[in-house]
Amino acid sequence: MSGAAALIVHGGAGSVAEDTVRARLSGCRQAVEAGWAVLMHGGSAVAAVESAVVILEDNPLFNAGIGSPLNSDGQVELDASIMDGAQGYAGAVAAVKRIKNPIRLALRIMQDKRHILLVAEGAERFAISHGISPCDPRDLIHPSARRRKPRYGTVGCVAVDQSGRIAAATSTGGTAGKHPGRVGDSALIGCGTYATHEIGVSCTGMGEAIIHVVLAKTVVDLMQPGVPIQVTAKHAIGLLAEKTGDEGGVIVANNCGDVGYARNATHMPVCWVRDGGDMVTDI
Ligand code: ASP
């Protein structure tokens, strides 16, 4: 399949304060623009999701990279994962404190192929030996971090490139006040992120609930020929609600260039673009 490029991002499931809606949607648009530019220059789905997520990690409005909430020790600890559906490779990091763009590190781990998930100091040592300079942990603390709500603003992206290859990526600072070392779904392949030849998924919401239902892989397993992926996304969120009583959201894209999303949280900023279409946002 070729020619059906598409890209969708989310900016976290939760409830968005009225006065930040515009800025969040504009942040999502900037991320889509960055990822779409990669795709339109013939770049891969993997490169596109990386570019889009880096933009969101660098935007302090989102709970990823700079601007993430603090754990109970007053530190930022970041989780991220990426998966290349065409190759079946994945990379992930958890509980890193000195990495400005954890999605870049997750990508390096994926490209290196020896590991899938590296955590904490070991992940940071891998970063240094693979050309990613560590930052001062204090550089990740944005003044707004102390005012953060318990959880809101995780970011994710699913892209389909012009060759029909799919990639998915997710990045988060996790939950505010979390126990040091707590790892949520965003670092776990199959939970927060999953991609195959046919579909890519990025999730957001209460990590423990998402892990419980292995949400990203569940979306893939629920897919049926002839059923629109939007319907499948809704079905999966229904299962999350039914089995855990918790809230979340998913974004999906398939190798036909269809995109979909669903949430049972009050809001989830999303932005997407497909071949031949305009950029669309929703909250
Ligand atoms: N899933 C993330 C976590 O639990 C948080 C979120 O998506 O808002 O770490």
Side-chain angles (χ1 to χ4, degrees):
M1 168 102 30
S2 67
L7 186 134
I8 180 164
V9 305
H10 72 75
S15 143
V16 178
E18 191 73 39
D19 57 343
T20 66
V21 168
R22 247 171 194 248
R24 283 179 197 273
L25 288 176
S26 137
C28 289
R29 262 195 299 272
Q30 283 163 20
V32 169
E33 272 159 18
W36 193 243
V38 171
L39 295 179
M40 291 302 100
H41 285 96
S44 68
V46 167
V49 295
E50 183 205 15
S51 301
V53 169
V54 163
I55 297 284
L56 294 164
E57 286 177 338
D58 288 345
N59 184 334
L61 210 49
F62 295 95
N63 172 5
I66 291 163
S68 293
L70 308 181
N71 67 13
S72 59
D73 281 348
Q75 293 178 321
V76 164
E77 278 187 340
L78 303 173
D79 299 343
S81 59
I82 186 165
M83 186 157 182
D84 175 351
Q87 309 266 1
Y89 295 132
V93 288
V96 289
K97 293 182 191 154
R98 298 194 298 150
I99 304 296
K100 186 173 160 279
N101 293 110
I103 200 65
R104 289 217 158 114
L105 178 53
L107 176 58
R108 288 282 206 299
I109 293 167
M110 179 172 93
Q111 288 167 335
D112 180 72
K113 298 193 179 100
R114 285 177 297 163
H115 315 287
I116 291 183
L117 171 61
L118 293 178
V119 308
E121 211 193 304
E124 292 167 3
R125 276 167 45 195
F126 181 96
I128 295 164
S129 63
H130 287 76
I132 297 179
S133 312
C135 64
D136 185 322
R138 286 169 302 189
D139 293 348
L140 295 174
I141 301 179
H142 190 263
S144 65
R146 289 175 213 288
R147 300 193 301 271
R148 284 273 187 243
K149 286 192 184 164
R151 169 190 62 72
Y152 184 68
T154 290
V155 306
C157 178
V158 182
V160 188
D161 64 30
Q162 296 184 47
S163 306
R165 294 170 302 188
I166 301 174
T170 312
S171 184
T172 190
T175 50
K178 66 187 178 182
H179 196 287
R182 178 263 187 189
V183 176
D185 60 296
S186 309
L188 303 181
I189 297 301
C191 296
T193 304
Y194 204 69
T196 68
H197 285 285
E198 293 179 322
I199 186 166
V201 186
S202 170
C203 304
T204 170
M206 185 42 75
E208 283 71 9
I210 293 174
I211 294 169
H212 191 81
V213 299
V214 198
L215 187 58
K217 179 63 163 55
T218 294
V219 174
V220 174
D221 292 344
L222 288 172
M223 262 179 55
Q224 276 179 26
V227 177
I229 55 172
Q230 177 73 20
V231 173
T232 308
K234 282 202 169 123
H235 186 174
I237 288 298
L239 281 180
L240 174 75
E242 183 190 310
K243 295 208 167 155
T244 69
D246 231 309
E247 59 177 35
V250 293
I251 55 169
V252 291
N254 68 12
N255 57 358
C256 300
D258 300 321
V259 298
Y261 59 97
R263 58 165 166 78
N264 65 340
T266 317
H267 300 118
M268 179 175 71
V270 286
C271 181
W272 72 93
V273 63
R274 304 175 56 197
D275 257 338
D278 292 330
M279 202 181 285
V280 186
T281 55
D282 193 12
I283 179 119

